[in-house]
Amino acid sequence: MTDLTDTRAEVRSARTSARKAGRTGAALAPYLQAAPMALVFLIFFVLPLAATIAVSFWQYTQYSIEPAFTAQNYGDVFYGCLANLPSLCTTFLTYISTLKFCLIVWATTLTIGFTIAYFLAFHVRTLKVQVICFLLCTIPFWTSIVIRMISWIPLLGRNGLVNQTLMGMGVIDSPLEGLLYSDFAVILALTHLYTLFMVVPIFNSLMRIDRSLIEAARDAGASDLQTLRHVIVPLAKPGILIGSIFVVTVVMGDFLTIGIMGGQQIASVGKVIQTQMQFLQFPLAAANAVILLAAVLAAVWALLRLVDIRKEL
Amino acid sequence: MTKMTTTRRSVLRGAAALAGTAAFPAPFVHAQERVTLRYLSTAVNQSPAIAEKASEDLGIDIEYIAVNTDEVPRRVITQPNSFDLVDSEYFSLPNLVPSGNMKGMDASRIERIDQLASVIAEGTVEGEKVGWDGTAPHEVLYLEGQDATSFASSPTEWITLIPTTYNADTLGIRPDLIDKEITSWASLLDPDFAGKTSILNIPSIGIMDAAMALEARGDITYGDKGNMTREEIDATIAALIEAKRAGQFRAFWSNFQESVNLMASGEVVIQSMWSPAVTAVRTQGIPCVYQPLQEGYRAWASGFGLPRTIEGRKEDAAYEFINWFLSGWAGAHLSKQGYYPAVLDTAREYMEPYEWAYWYEGEAAEQDIMAPDGRLLEEAGAKRDGGSYWERMGSVACWNAVMDENQYMVRKWNEFIAA
């Protein structure tokens, strides 16, 4: 008897430990599955970011950077920002200019992007045509961003296609100078480059709207505009938000488009960083990058406050 | 272009050669291996023809590492073991030498050291002193010792950079779109050309273009345009902001091609330019003149330097290549693109008399002038803008520079862009 109970107990305990081992294995699995991505993030995102933050506190000369812990670089970024009020310092002016582009480009890409997505989702009837139209939208992405941007130059220039056409039609007597190397050119190019970032997520949201909701709205006597405002737009919010995050973050950090289309005469935070790198002022550039990152994160945080994205998805 | 990195095979071959020397310690066994020199510079200075010819003449392979103007000093400072030979601008030297990453070159190993152009070696042309504002090459040409981190005030045995190319920059204009005579840098700020001018987007050079214009207009008299005081920087930037607000500038250009496009498209009718860029506009059939101005030129010079880490056969090969570079073929090749070489006499030997007359003596071309690649540059009868070598280099007013107040200048430049 005793032998038997012992054996049973042994079997039971063996089973429990086996189950325990199995459970630890099962508990480990998701971590292992997430490990490759986590590793990639660690090496290519967390480490460089940590290095940037560390270097932003270092000291530098024209030819060297030295480990240190000084807030001097941050002081330099905001040089004259408080002392010279009410006139604005370079950093504030630069951020205001960047924010201005952000707002305008956000508005234009949202308007155009929503319209395109709406058309694709509600007016194109078959899935096949929808897919074809959608692929058509992505064709510009087959060439590089720089080429898409530079191709505006011969169009908008003083002797460009637009000016020649307008003058040929007798609409204007002398060429419009403001078409190229101006705020207008920057906004046009940014809108052209980033509208698709709005179209894709909004289209996705619109496709998920239950069509019976729209029918119900119509049955309840809502006009098209009322349906749009009270049914479609609220349901498209997650898409609008995701698109907005894309556009805002990209425009905040942009310096190539603003540089080329603005004739290098319009300030952007990226350009300030580039100029500082040019002169080997790495710690100062790093401090600027950290502040830019904080500004972008703040913008994303503000956007997320508007829509509870987890709930909506 | 030659290969970009050391291949696995060359490493293996090197290892085999080493093993060979260990097994049979004969003195010349390893000397058969070809040496590859990694040549760091901007793409403009990297002619495939020169690499090919050097490989043929010397048995040394040249592996070009092409980066942009800013990246050259950055690479020297941050990755000094990633190249064997650097072709850097002289104005970067006040940053490069104190970093301790450069190795002084032994003057006794440079065969034609006494024949270097006087404008580089002494800052003179035919005995006459040229303008020394900015980082004049002769001021940063010598080191106190091979490992010194400061410059010598008088000639020594240790050289920082052996010149490769240099030139004198001025304003390029579109004579078909300008109905005035342009004689002064002040025209850059002439309200008649509002919205049709451009300057360089490299702050340290752009500010000197502006200084040339402001001094010409009589606004500011500079102590040294290439090494401004804070007050001078403030005044210059204030004037630039005023001009920008009045819409004087169409755009700033950052690279060769941008300057060509601005000019060729007619967006800009007057701007600071590089000589080969003017040629590039002209080869498109668009009139463009490299206008000599009464205040003189803003000059630049570039040269070969060695990294601190170079030694042994690589170092020998580097000296061999530099000596070959000064022996004429390369100098002639560069001259036919409008640059000037370190040693004039040897370059002359490799040029036709009519080519020499056109490029150096300011004479009208007896025959059509061809580029080294066979393209037509100028038809017979044309003259080089600015005249002879001695007229052009003799009229240098200042040199590209990095200022002592560099950090302050960069801050103020960003202020100008944001204004």
Side-chain angles (χ1 to χ4, degrees):
Chain A
M1 273 304 270
T2 44
D3 278 353
L4 203 71
T5 24
D6 275 1
T7 328
R8 266 188 206 146
E10 261 168 41
V11 168
R12 206 178 301 135
S13 81
R15 263 192 207 145
T16 335
S17 64
R19 212 177 301 142
K20 256 189 201 154
R23 223 182 291 141
T24 19
L28 213 63
Y31 290 101
L32 285 173
Q33 282 167 337
M37 196 60 201
L39 210 65
V40 168
F41 261 104
L42 186 74
I43 295 171
F44 295 105
F45 177 68
V46 178
L47 285 183
L49 187 62
T52 306
I53 293 171
V55 169
S56 72
F57 292 101
W58 287 15
Q59 285 175 332
Y60 64 98
T61 66
Q62 292 198 22
Y63 48 85
S64 69
I65 54 176
E66 310 251 336
F69 191 78
T70 169
Q72 176 71 36
N73 300 316
Y74 289 92
D76 284 350
V77 170
F78 292 107
Y79 173 80
C81 285
L82 293 178
N84 293 352
L85 284 172
S87 67
L88 292 167
C89 62
T90 311
T91 302
F92 284 174
L93 279 172
T94 306
Y95 273 91
I96 287 172
S97 161
T98 305
L99 282 175
K100 179 188 76 187
F101 285 123
C102 249
L103 277 177
I104 297 174
V105 172
W106 175 74
T108 54
T109 52
L110 179 61
T111 314
I112 299 172
F114 188 87
T115 313
I116 294 172
Y118 185 88
F119 177 80
L120 281 179
F122 295 121
H123 287 272
V124 179
R125 286 172 194 270
T126 65
L127 187 67
K128 200 169 157 192
V129 181
Q130 270 177 342
V131 170
I132 291 171
C133 288
F134 193 77
L135 285 178
L136 281 179
C137 289
T138 64
I139 285 182
F141 280 71
W142 294 358
T143 59
S144 97
I145 202 165
V146 178
I147 290 172
R148 268 181 289 154
M149 183 164 48
I150 288 176
S151 19
W152 281 107
I153 293 177
L155 232 70
L156 301 176
R158 179 175 290 134
N159 305 312
L161 212 57
V162 173
N163 269 324
Q164 276 179 0
T165 311
L166 288 176
M167 280 166 75
M169 284 162 56
V171 182
I172 48 170
D173 298 329
S174 55
L176 297 171
E177 304 272 325
L179 288 182
L180 186 60
Y181 303 130
S182 60
D183 284 5
F184 169 77
V186 173
I187 292 163
L188 183 72
L190 287 173
T191 306
H192 167 225
L193 292 178
Y194 301 131
T195 296
L196 196 68
F197 289 164
M198 279 290 193
V199 175
V200 176
I202 296 177
F203 176 67
N204 183 40
S205 281
L206 292 181
M207 288 301 282
R208 288 153 54 132
I209 294 176
D210 188 346
R211 300 302 147 115
S212 55
L213 290 175
I214 296 166
E215 270 172 47
R218 201 167 296 144
D219 290 348
S223 67
D224 282 355
L225 213 63
Q226 280 173 319
T227 316
L228 180 70
R229 197 175 143 205
H230 296 291
V231 180
I232 297 174
V233 170
L235 288 171
K237 263 189 186 172
I240 294 173
L241 181 79
I242 294 170
S244 305
I245 291 176
F246 274 136
V247 170
V248 168
T249 48
V250 168
V251 174
M252 288 280 276
D254 181 278
F255 70 99
L256 210 59
T257 315
I258 297 180
I260 292 179
M261 300 307 289
Q264 308 291 354
Q265 290 195 79
I266 297 176
S268 65
V269 186
K271 186 170 168 55
V272 170
I273 295 174
Q274 188 202 20
T275 308
Q276 286 162 347
M277 301 265 288
Q278 207 177 345
F279 287 87
L280 299 159
Q281 302 175 344
F282 291 110
L284 195 52
N288 257 311
V290 170
I291 293 166
L292 175 63
L293 181 69
V296 172
L297 285 178
V300 172
W301 176 79
L303 283 169
L304 286 173
R305 295 276 296 192
L306 294 175
V307 181
D308 186 348
I309 190 100
R310 280 169 192 272
K311 203 181 85 192
E312 301 283 348
L313 286 175
Chain B
M1 285 280 168
T2 43
K3 61 186 172 179
M4 292 301 285
T5 49
T6 321
T7 59
R8 194 180 123 81
R9 189 175 299 164
S10 73
V11 172
L12 287 178
R13 256 191 273 130
L18 273 180
T21 36
F24 311 98
F28 296 112
V29 170
H30 63 287
Q32 304 305 319
E33 184 69 21
R34 281 172 80 92
V35 181
T36 299
L37 289 177
R38 296 167 298 169
Y39 179 139
L40 172 71
S41 76
T42 58
V44 182
N45 292 15
Q46 300 180 339
S47 157
I50 289 178
E52 225 169 85
K53 184 77 177 159
S55 167
E56 217 173 88
D57 288 2
L58 304 172
I60 296 171
D61 292 323
I62 300 296
E63 175 189 314
Y64 284 131
I65 306 171
V67 296
N68 59 32
T69 311
D70 320 325
E71 185 64 22
V72 175
R74 213 183 297 159
R75 275 287 273 270
V76 174
I77 287 172
T78 57
Q79 300 165 55
N81 48 9
S82 67
F83 60 92
D84 304 310
L85 191 62
V86 59
D87 189 352
S88 159
E89 294 232 25
Y90 279 79
F91 77 78
S92 298
L93 283 172
N95 288 347
L96 300 184
V97 167
S99 76
N101 289 346
M102 301 278 286
K103 186 176 197 171
M105 273 193 268
D106 187 345
S108 63
R109 295 182 70 177
I110 307 290
E111 288 159 20
R112 292 182 177 80
I113 192 72
D114 298 326
Q115 288 169 260
L116 292 188
S118 64
V119 71
I120 303 293
E122 292 151 22
T124 60
V125 169
E126 292 187 311
E128 296 275 326
K129 180 178 168 296
V130 302
W132 289 358
D133 275 13
T135 311
H138 72 278
E139 294 168 341
V140 291
L141 190 60
Y142 302 102
L143 292 173
E144 296 285 0
Q146 185 157 33
D147 298 331
T149 50
S150 59
F151 302 106
S153 49
S154 56
T156 66
E157 281 302 288
W158 305 105
I159 312 282
T160 50
L161 298 177
I162 295 290
T164 48
T165 53
Y166 54 95
N167 214 322
D169 289 355
T170 182
L171 297 178
I173 61 168
R174 281 281 300 268
D176 56 328
L177 300 177
I178 288 182
D179 43 17
K180 274 187 183 178
E181 207 173 322
I182 304 297
T183 55
S184 162
W185 279 85
S187 296
L188 203 52
L189 297 172
D190 185 339
D192 283 358
F193 305 132
K196 295 178 179 179
T197 72
S198 174
I199 57 176
L200 207 62
N201 190 35
I202 299 173
S204 56
I205 304 176
I207 200 170
M208 288 181 75
D209 286 341
M212 290 294 279
L214 288 168
E215 197 169 63
R217 206 169 66 172
D219 290 18
I220 305 171
T221 308
Y222 293 91
D224 179 346
K225 280 185 283 294
N227 198 8
M228 299 184 193
T229 61
R230 286 196 173 209
E231 291 72 35
E232 286 169 344
I233 293 172
D234 286 345
T236 309
I237 295 291
L240 276 174
I241 290 175
E242 194 189 316
K244 182 186 170 187
R245 291 208 171 122
Q248 183 69 15
F249 306 111
R250 183 64 171 154
F252 302 151
W253 60 268
S254 313
N255 59 47
F256 182 89
Q257 202 54 46
E258 269 176 28
S259 75
V260 173
N261 290 344
L262 281 174
M263 207 63 170
S265 65
E267 294 295 335
V268 162
V269 299
I270 179 167
Q271 65 174 352
S272 94
M273 257 176 125
W274 295 337
S275 168
V278 175
T279 311
V281 175
R282 274 213 285 252
T283 46
Q284 296 181 27
I286 295 163
C288 185
V289 172
Y290 209 36
Q291 185 65 45
L293 303 168
Q294 63 198 28
E295 295 86 14
Y297 297 86
R298 177 178 49 68
W300 58 269
S302 179
F304 285 130
L306 300 178
R308 174 61 47 90
T309 47
I310 198 167
E311 56 184 15
R313 293 186 56 221
K314 284 240 183 195
E315 190 174 14
D316 296 343
Y319 278 108
E320 204 182 331
F321 176 68
I322 292 167
N323 280 321
W324 173 83
F325 203 93
L326 302 183
S327 72
W329 191 90
H333 182 82
L334 293 165
S335 295
K336 291 179 213 169
Q337 298 170 55
Y339 295 112
Y340 293 137
V343 181
L344 302 185
D345 294 343
T346 55
R348 186 176 187 170
E349 292 166 20
Y350 288 83
M351 294 172 82
E352 297 295 330
Y354 77 91
E355 288 178 320
W356 177 264
Y358 172 78
W359 289 111
Y360 282 88
E361 290 172 340
E363 304 284 336
E366 281 173 32
Q367 305 176 26
D368 288 353
I369 298 293
M370 302 290 181
D373 60 7
R375 274 178 311 128
L376 177 72
L377 283 184
E378 291 291 347
E379 286 175 17
K383 273 188 178 180
R384 184 170 191 179
D385 297 329
S388 71
Y389 172 90
W390 298 273
E391 277 174 81
R392 294 184 81 241
M393 289 316 290
S395 310
V396 165
C398 60
W399 296 83
N400 281 0
V402 171
M403 304 182 185
D404 294 340
E405 289 288 358
N406 192 28
Q407 290 176 17
Y408 184 74
M409 191 275 292
V410 173
R411 178 194 291 168
K412 295 297 284 187
W413 182 270
N414 279 330
E415 199 178 307
F416 160 54
I417 298 297

